[in-house]
Amino acid sequence: MPASRLDAVYRSLLLTKFFTKGWGKPENLRRIFEFRKIVANREACYNLIPTNYPVTITKDEEWSDCHILEGSFQSPFDQNLPGLMPEETRTAYFQVVLPRKWESQRVKPICLHLAGTGDHFYWRRRNLIARPLLKEAGIGAILLENPFYGLRKPKDQIRSSLHNVSDIFVMGGCLIMESIVLLNWCEQQGFGPLGLTGLSMGGHMASLAATNWPKPIPLVPCLSWSTASPVFTEGVMSASINWHLLESQYFADEVYQNDLAKMVKVVTQDDAFLAGQHFAKHYPESMNRMNKLKKESIDSDRVVTADSKSEQKMSGDKLSRGAHSLTDVQNNKNRVCALPVTKHPLLSDSKWREREALQFMRGVMDECTHLKNFEVPVDTELIISVCARDDAYVPREGCMGLEQIWPGAEIRFIDAGHVSAYLLHQKLFRSTIVEAFTRYMKKYPVNNS
C-alpha cells in the first residue's frame, strides 16, 4: 500500500470532524487578523511578555529514570485578546522531563515539544520522544498542553473537533506566546541550550514560535511545511470539514466576503510560474485537458448562438460571475486571490460557490499560519526540517518552500507518508533533534557565552 494511500485510509477511520460550528464570529476573526500583525513582529511580540512572567510549579516528583515537574500559568494571549478563549483554555499547563542528575552544571539542554493534531495530555510525547531523548542524549523536555486539548479542552468539545476555524488561530497565537513564557522560564532556571520541535501541527507551531524568539535556537519541525492552508484545503484532512456549512455562512454574511476577505490573501509564488510548473508536470494530460476545455467552450458558444436571447443572457451572467475571481487577482491585491483560472460556463453555481469558500479558507490560513508572514528565525543554520516525501496530510505542491523563506535551513526527506513516518521514524526525529543541538553547541559554545 503506497504511503499516501495509508494516510487516506487512516484519516477515513477517524471520527474527528473539524470546524463543526463554522468560521467563528466575524469580529473575532477581524481581531485575530489585526493581532497577527503584532505577533508577526518579533520585537513587538516578545516585548508583550515580561521575562519574569509568573509561572506556578504544581508537582515535583522523582521517577525511576527522570525528574518530573508540572506547572501552569495564565496564557498571555488571553490578556492581549480577552474574550476569544473559552474559559477552559485560558490556563496553560506543562510538564518538564529532567534527568535525575545533570552531567554538567553548565550545560542543561532542554527542548520544548509542541503537540500535533489529536495529541492530548503528555503521555505520547513523553514516552515516544522525551524520555528516550533524555536517555540517549541527556536532553530534557518541556511538554506544553495545546489549547483545546487535554486539560484545556472545552467541556462541549468532542475529542479534537475544534468548533470554529478561528479556534486554530487562537491555538497558534497561544502557543507562540506561551512558548516565549516557557523559554524565558527555562533561562531563569539555568537551563540551556534551548530548542524547539514538534510533529505535524506541532512542528508548524514550533516553527511559528521560533520566529519570535530573539536568540539563536535549534529548531526541528517534523512532518510540517510552510503553511497550514493546504492541510485544510487539499490534504486528506480537508474531507473532515463541513464545507457546505462554511460555504453557507460565507455567503450569508457579507462581512466575510467584503471586509474579512480584504484583510487576507493567499501567499504564493508567481501565479504564472505555478501555472506553468503545473502544466509541465502533468504534460501531456494538461495539453489534452486544455484542448478539451477549448472544445467545450466553442461548443458552448455555438449553443448560446442558436438559443434564445434569454438563454444567452443567462450564459453571460454565469461568465461574468466566473470572471469575478480573476478580476480580484488583477485589480484588488488585498482580496483573497486564486490562481488565474476563470469559471468555465459549464461549471455549476454550487461548485463555484464552494470554490469561493475554499479560497477564503486558503486566505485566512495563509494570513495566520504562513511562515512568510512572520520574521526569519535568528539563525536558520540551526533549523533541520524532516518531511515525508509522500505526505497526504501536508501537501507541498504549489507552496512556497521552507528553503525560500528561510535561506540556510536544511530540508530532509524520508521515503514515507505522514502516518508511516510517525509510526516508524521516531528514532530519526530524535537523532535529528540531537544533531540540531550539537550544531548549536559547536557554533555557540557555552564557555564563550
Side-chain angles (χ1 to χ4, degrees), residues 128-140:
L128 293 180
I129 295 217
R131 291 172 77 177
L133 192 59
L134 184 62
K135 182 179 180 180
E136 295 163 359
I139 298 175

Side-chain angles (χ1 to χ4, degrees), residues 195 211 242 319 328 347:
T211 67
N242 187 338
L319 282 168
D328 285 338
L347 189 63

Side-chain angles (χ1 to χ4, degrees), residues 21 38 48 81-82 87 99 109 151 190 206 211 257 291 365 373 446:
K21 293 186 179 179
I38 298 174
L48 288 175
L81 281 183
E87 183 178 354
L151 296 170
T211 67
Q257 304 167 61
N291 289 334
M365 285 290 171
N373 286 333
V446 173

Side-chain angles (χ1 to χ4, degrees), residues 361-381:
M361 175 70 87
R362 284 187 64 196
V364 297
M365 285 290 171
D366 272 358
E367 179 66 26
C368 294
T369 72
H370 204 298
L371 297 176
K372 181 69 174 177
N373 286 333
F374 295 79
E375 295 206 24
V376 177
V378 173
D379 189 346
T380 56
E381 291 183 353

